[in-house]
Amino acid sequence: QVQLEESGGGLVQPGGSLRLSCATSGFSMDDYPVGWFRQAPGQERTGIACYDTTDGTTYYADSVKGRFAMSRDNGNNMLYLQMNSLKPEDTAFYYCAADRVACALYHDIMAYWGRGTQVTVFS
C-alpha cells in the first residue's frame, strides 16, 4: 500500500533553514511522480515542488524558487524539501504527495498524501 509520512517541521526564525523529510513506501519514486504541497490557515492547498518522472525535471512554484529545493533518495525511499531563507509567509502545513500519473502544482490531483507537518516561521 502506498504510504507517505512527513517529519521535520517546527518553529524557525525568519531567514533560517529547515529540512522536511518524507518517508515513502509501497511505490518507487522512479515510477510515481512526487511533490511537496502546503496549506496556510484559511487558504487552499497549493503545490510548491513537483517531480516529473517523464523528463526528470523538478518544477517549483515562483514563491519558493531559488529558496527551496526538493531531492529524492530512491534507495532509501525518502523525499526531502530543503527550505532556506524562510519568510513568515512560508508558515503553513506541509505535505508530501504521490500520484500514478502526474504531479500538478496548482491542481489538487494527487492520489496519495501524507498527514502533514507544521512549519512556523516566527518574526
Side-chain angles (χ1 to χ4, degrees):
Q1 294 181 349
V2 172
Q3 292 186 329
L4 305 97
E5 184 175 6
E6 305 89 343
S7 62
L11 181 66
V12 63
Q13 297 260 68
S17 298
L18 204 62
R19 189 175 80 155
L20 304 183
S21 299
C22 175
T24 73
S25 62
F27 70 99
S28 170
M29 288 185 287
D30 287 327
D31 301 323
Y32 281 29
V34 295
W36 284 95
F37 299 76
R38 67 185 182 187
Q39 186 172 27
Q43 305 296 317
E44 294 186 348
R45 186 159 57 191
T46 187
I48 54 178
C50 275
Y51 178 74
D52 189 320
T53 55
T54 301
D55 61 15
T57 300
T58 299
Y59 297 90
Y60 295 94
D62 288 342
S63 60
V64 306
K65 198 171 299 180
R67 299 189 298 121
F68 291 11
M70 181 171 68
S71 60
R72 296 147 60 238
D73 183 349
N74 289 10
N76 291 307
N77 301 118
M78 294 292 294
L79 181 69
Y80 301 101
L81 182 69
Q82 179 66 46
M83 304 183 293
N84 300 321
S85 302
L86 283 161
K87 306 173 181 179
E89 305 94 276
D90 295 318
T91 295
F93 212 70
Y94 284 70
Y95 302 85
C96 58
D99 194 78
R100 294 182 63 250
V101 179
C103 178
L105 291 175
Y106 307 113
H107 301 277
D108 197 12
I109 65 166
M110 307 298 278
Y112 309 105
W113 294 86
R115 296 166 66 180
T117 185
Q118 178 68 39
V119 173
T120 301
V121 184
F122 184 72
S123 62

